[in-house]
Amino acid sequence: MHTVILVLVEVLIVIGLSRLVGLAFKSIKQPLVIGEIVAGIMLGPSLFGLIAPDLVATLFPPETLPFLNVLSQIGLIFFMFLIGLELNPKYLSGQLEVAVLTSHVSILVPFSLGTTLALILYPLVSNASVSFTAFALFLGAAMSITAFPVLARIITENNLQGTRLGTLALTCAAVDDVTAWCLLAVAIAVARTGNIGGAFPTIIESIVYIAFILTVGRWFLERLATYYRRTGRLSQFMLAGIYVAVVASALITELIGIHLIFGAFLLGAAMPKNAELVRELAIKTEDFVLIFLLPVFFAYSGLRTQIGLLNRPELWLLCAAVLIVAIAGKYIGTYVAARVSGIDKREASALGWLMNTRGLTELIVLNIGLELGVISPLLFTMLVIMALVTTFMTSPLLEWTYPKKLIKLDLVEPEAEINVDITAKPYRILVPVANPSTQKGLLRLAVAIGINYRQPAIVNLLSLIQLEEDYSFESTPNEANRLIVQRRQQLEELISTLEPPTQPFIHPVVRVSNNVARETAQIATMEAADLILVGWHRPAFSTNRLGGRVGQILGTVPVDVAVFVDKGGERLESILVPYSANIHDDLALILALRLLLNRETCTLQILQVIPQQQIQDELSYELHAMMEKLPDSVRDRIHINIIQAPEPIQAVVAASETVDLTIAGTSRAWGIERQTLGRYTDALAIQCRSSLLITRRYSQLTSHLTSVLPDTHQEPTVSS
């Protein structure tokens, strides 16, 4: 009983630490799995074993390791099933000839270099009991691996799934995955039998079983899919049958003499790719596997990773050689093959870095090698370091080689086809939309601010799909595409609720993102947005209306920002601007004047609240000059109201009862100011009686008004 309790305590520690470290790595734009692997290593002799060896010996005694091993093996079986389940034939539909050449060369080159490196490593770091053939085959296979799951998530996070680069990388990785697993199966067979000749029966049995699964097994699975289509749900009985088949298939491949993970992977790959069945099966399976079982596998691997074994300079040199061979083999093989196939230099280079991703798949391979005794604990540690470094470097090198500015925004129609004067610089408004079903007021306001007969306007409706988990089924490229199409349809429905003449100026932009504020800032910069108009939403764990993502956008985006607090009114005929003479209030007044120019029935009240014994604030010279340029019909609709009051916020709240929209700058006078840690207070947002637009100015160089001002005081025809 004591051992069981100790194992449960270990599991608690493992899950908690893996989540914390995983989130820390996500914050630096690294895959969650890298953090979880590092957390596993931290628990072993490489870190905590050095800092507190007695504590580690107490928490992770040798008698608990078999229990962790069993849990990790179960996790691997079902994780490999999920990988096979996600291996969609659609990935093999595009550029297949180029992908087959590129992926096979990207395997052949590192495999050859790995087997050559084995000549040096075998006498230095191998076990005496393993044959050179098995050692060389295994090292070559380990160098050739590309982690399809991690690569697929990196592609999704960088919105590459719809590009030629993303499609080619997915196809290459899918072909690479199948080929590399076959090579690994051969290496395992040789390792278990001792020589290639003895491995032939195992290889033949494996081929027979693969043929059986892809014919008879697939026939049964097709019947299952037919039954699912008829019932429309995955019952517990069906799920139990699938899980039994997964475990049985794993057992068969283990008995054949390769490894149990191959049977699970094979069954997943053979599953009919009915979209709904795959989605429901993956979602029901992955949470427990990824949250509970896989971290145990990482911890078990970490307990066997001993970085302290690299205790001499020459061993670190060998580790560097392993790393160089792994990186150079994959990159050079991929780059050369891609260039021969006609891919340009930048895409070929980006493809080379993507194919260098190894991640969790490499860790699975290494653990198999260590269990079989093919690699020693020393070489295991070197290869774990190689897996971490090659995965860690993928995202930054991809961004350096193929920056996001080269990835076209997903616009519904090209701007060149819009019926506007494309010689004039358009006024661009970026509108982040969290929930399309509740954002009609936000879009209506964006159109009112943007559309003017003197200047073309582009309103980009930006919807960012945030994928919380790197390894969730939703973050696979196919599933991400489905979510993007679904979200775009919702945005189109939102646009269709507006008047038809405004529609050509509004364009949905749907992207996948793991950081909404950062992605919004990047897109605003790339698209040279003049204004970001964002809707308010209350954060889940805060009552502050300007907290969460809205606060992050207000505090970090290098563009003028306006936050809309919609109180439900549809009219936009009367506007109130409380003015206290700062740059943020200047922006509030400028946007109000733009609305007046765009809507001939709109009126504006400028409210200056002066505490007793204080001098009245003057409008800035630039604003005064702009107001002088306004036509008489516009200036006649502007009223300046100067009052004395001890509480400026209460005066604004009282004035807001009679208007449709209040526009206020992020000013201390109105209870809206940036405080410690970038938080914004929101006193006026809480009390305001009308809808409220809160403005934050970034640059006084951005012109929101000059381009729509008439050249003279002649009366223009302004459309409402």
Side-chain angles (χ1 to χ4, degrees):
M1 191 63 183
H2 170 74
T3 304
V4 173
I5 293 173
L6 199 53
V7 169
L8 291 176
V9 171
E10 290 171 356
V11 169
L12 284 175
I13 295 170
V14 165
I15 294 175
L17 186 65
S18 66
R19 285 281 120 180
L20 288 174
V21 180
L23 290 174
F25 272 75
K26 279 196 74 172
S27 68
I28 57 172
K29 301 175 69 174
Q30 287 296 323
L32 183 76
V33 67
I34 293 296
E36 292 181 331
I37 293 172
V38 170
I41 294 172
M42 289 168 62
L43 289 171
S46 299
L47 181 61
F48 290 160
L50 289 176
I51 299 172
D54 294 338
L55 179 61
V56 171
T58 303
L59 287 175
F60 295 94
E63 60 266 24
T64 64
L65 293 184
F67 293 89
L68 294 181
N69 186 30
V70 169
L71 289 174
S72 67
Q73 292 301 314
I74 295 171
L76 283 187
I77 289 172
F78 284 96
F79 179 71
M80 291 302 297
F81 170 69
L82 288 172
I83 292 179
L85 195 65
E86 293 174 11
L87 199 61
N88 198 309
K90 288 182 179 179
Y91 295 141
L92 303 177
S93 59
Q95 309 176 78
L96 187 57
E97 291 182 3
V98 175
V100 169
L101 173 64
T102 304
S103 62
H104 283 163
V105 173
S106 75
I107 287 176
L108 181 62
V109 174
F111 185 86
S112 302
L113 291 176
T115 52
T116 304
L117 183 63
L119 294 169
I120 301 171
L121 294 178
Y122 182 70
L124 298 175
V125 297
S126 72
N127 294 322
S129 59
V130 66
S131 69
F132 174 76
T133 303
F135 181 84
L137 280 173
F138 193 88
L139 188 60
M143 295 291 183
S144 307
I145 288 290
T146 292
F148 181 81
V150 179
L151 179 139
R153 272 59 173 191
I154 290 173
I155 286 172
T156 302
E157 284 183 1
N158 287 275
N159 290 279
L160 290 168
Q161 65 271 16
T163 65
R164 183 175 72 163
L165 172 62
T167 305
L168 181 59
L170 284 171
T171 309
C172 286
V175 175
D176 189 294
D177 231 26
V178 174
T179 307
W181 287 122
C182 292
L183 281 174
L184 183 63
V186 172
I188 292 171
V190 171
R192 282 182 165 170
T193 57
N195 56 71
I196 293 179
F200 272 119
T202 301
I203 294 170
I204 292 169
E205 289 171 6
S206 301
I207 293 171
V208 170
Y209 182 64
I210 291 171
F212 173 80
I213 284 291
L214 296 180
T215 53
V216 178
R218 189 167 177 80
W219 182 85
F220 277 105
L221 294 172
E222 288 286 0
R223 304 286 77 75
L224 177 72
T226 302
Y227 179 76
Y228 176 82
R229 283 192 293 268
R230 188 165 64 248
T231 60
R233 61 183 291 268
L234 186 61
S235 66
Q236 289 185 356
F237 183 79
M238 290 173 62
L239 191 62
I242 292 171
Y243 287 170
V244 166
V246 171
V247 175
S249 184
L251 283 171
I252 290 170
T253 52
E254 180 69 23
L255 292 172
I256 285 172
I258 40 178
H259 196 276
L260 48 81
I261 64 170
F262 291 100
F265 173 78
L266 186 58
L267 192 76
M271 281 290 296
K273 297 305 185 257
N274 176 287
E276 295 302 322
L277 173 60
V278 169
R279 183 179 304 110
E280 190 172 353
L281 181 55
I283 290 172
K284 285 188 173 183
T285 305
E286 67 182 6
D287 285 348
F288 183 69
V289 173
L290 302 182
I291 294 171
F292 188 90
L293 295 176
L294 269 190
V296 174
F297 169 71
F298 296 138
Y300 184 69
S301 302
L303 291 170
R304 303 198 291 178
T305 302
Q306 304 175 56
I307 296 177
L309 293 176
L310 300 173
N311 54 10
R312 299 195 308 275
E314 56 267 29
L315 292 179
W316 280 107
L317 285 174
L318 285 178
C319 184
V322 168
L323 186 60
I324 291 169
V325 166
I327 295 172
K330 267 293 180 185
Y331 179 81
I332 293 172
T334 303
Y335 181 83
V336 171
R339 292 291 292 138
V340 169
S341 301
I343 307 298
D344 66 49
K345 292 181 180 178
R346 188 185 292 274
E347 286 191 50
S349 183
L351 185 62
W353 297 129
L354 282 169
M355 294 297 286
N356 246 306
T357 306
R358 287 178 172 85
L360 173 56
T361 309
E362 182 75 18
L363 205 62
I364 294 171
V365 172
L366 300 182
N367 273 275
I368 293 172
L370 189 61
E371 285 173 11
L372 296 175
V374 179
I375 58 175
S376 63
L378 176 58
L379 183 56
F380 175 82
T381 301
M382 292 180 181
L383 291 171
V384 168
I385 292 172
M386 179 270 289
L388 285 172
V389 171
T390 52
T391 308
F392 191 91
M393 72 185 195
T394 300
S395 291
L397 286 175
L398 176 65
E399 177 67 25
W400 173 64
T401 308
Y402 202 82
K404 287 188 176 181
K405 64 183 179 182
L406 297 178
I407 305 170
K408 287 285 291 179
L409 283 182
D410 185 15
L411 298 177
V412 169
E413 55 183 307
E415 292 178 11
E417 296 180 8
I418 304 169
N419 187 25
V420 296
D421 178 13
I422 61 173
T423 60
K425 180 184 181 297
Y427 183 75
R428 294 180 178 272
I429 303 178
L430 185 65
V431 185
V433 174
N435 184 353
S437 64
T438 62
Q439 302 294 308
K440 184 176 179 179
L442 181 68
L443 179 56
R444 190 187 298 117
L445 179 60
V447 170
I449 294 173
I451 303 303
N452 183 281
Y453 78 103
R454 287 183 173 275
Q455 182 186 26
I458 303 295
V459 176
N460 280 338
L461 273 184
L462 174 65
S463 187
L464 295 176
I465 300 173
Q466 188 161 20
L467 305 176
E468 299 294 342
E469 301 293 343
D470 287 348
Y471 270 83
S472 69
F473 180 74
E474 287 187 352
S475 61
T476 59
N478 275 346
E479 185 66 8
N481 279 334
R482 186 189 70 82
L483 294 174
I484 287 171
V485 170
Q486 184 182 71
R487 185 65 58 83
R488 187 185 293 117
Q489 290 173 345
Q490 293 173 340
L491 294 179
E492 294 285 4
E493 290 172 4
L494 174 61
I495 294 171
S496 68
T497 63
L498 300 177
E499 294 297 325
T502 66
Q503 291 186 25
F505 301 94
I506 307 171
H507 305 282
V509 178
V510 184
R511 303 288 293 272
V512 170
S513 172
N514 58 5
N515 188 309
V516 170
R518 184 170 59 206
E519 191 80 20
T520 300
Q522 289 175 342
I523 292 173
T525 303
M526 287 191 294
E527 291 298 290
D530 296 290
L531 177 70
I532 293 178
L533 182 62
V534 60
W536 159 80
H537 69 280
R538 179 173 292 166
F541 300 103
S542 170
T543 57
N544 190 286
R545 286 158 174 76
L546 301 181
R549 294 172 188 167
V550 172
Q552 291 172 9
I553 291 173
L554 270 174
T556 61
V557 176
V559 176
D560 290 349
V561 177
V563 178
F564 183 49
V565 182
D566 190 356
K567 299 295 179 72
E570 294 190 4
R571 286 169 50 87
L572 189 56
E573 302 302 325
S574 55
I575 301 173
L576 170 68
V577 175
Y579 189 81
S580 63
N582 63 63
I583 61 170
H584 305 303
D585 284 354
D586 284 352
L587 176 60
L589 187 52
I590 288 169
L591 292 180
L593 293 175
R594 185 175 175 106
L595 281 168
L596 253 66
L597 282 163
N598 295 349
R599 303 173 67 87
E600 62 183 8
T601 58
C602 196
T603 61
L604 168 63
Q605 177 189 166
I606 301 174
L607 178 65
Q608 291 186 278
V609 184
I610 306 171
Q612 294 177 349
Q613 298 179 349
Q614 181 171 319
I615 301 173
Q616 175 185 341
D617 294 321
E618 296 288 341
L619 296 180
S620 67
Y621 172 79
E622 292 80 6
L623 275 176
H624 185 77
M626 283 184 182
M627 291 184 69
E628 286 294 321
K629 293 182 181 179
L630 295 172
D632 292 338
S633 63
V634 175
R635 283 192 289 174
D636 290 343
R637 289 183 274 127
I638 300 174
H639 307 281
I640 299 178
N641 188 12
I642 303 171
I643 63 172
Q644 286 190 336
E647 296 289 339
I649 296 176
Q650 295 307 315
V652 175
V653 170
S656 70
E657 292 184 0
T658 59
V659 299
D660 301 318
L661 176 67
T662 301
I663 309 179
T666 52
S667 165
R668 179 177 299 179
W670 321 127
I672 308 168
E673 59 178 322
R674 193 174 184 183
Q675 296 186 321
T676 308
L677 301 177
R679 286 174 56 86
Y680 282 82
T681 56
D682 60 350
L684 184 58
I686 297 171
Q687 301 176 45
C688 190
R689 298 290 182 264
S690 69
S691 292
L692 175 66
L693 189 65
I694 300 168
T695 57
R696 189 273 286 158
R697 190 152 203 179
Y698 175 76
S699 171
Q700 291 180 277
L701 299 177
T702 302
S703 173
H704 300 273
L705 197 58
T706 306
S707 299
V708 295
L709 286 173
D711 296 330
T712 67
H713 286 190
Q714 294 178 353
E715 296 294 326
T717 303
V718 183
S719 59
S720 62

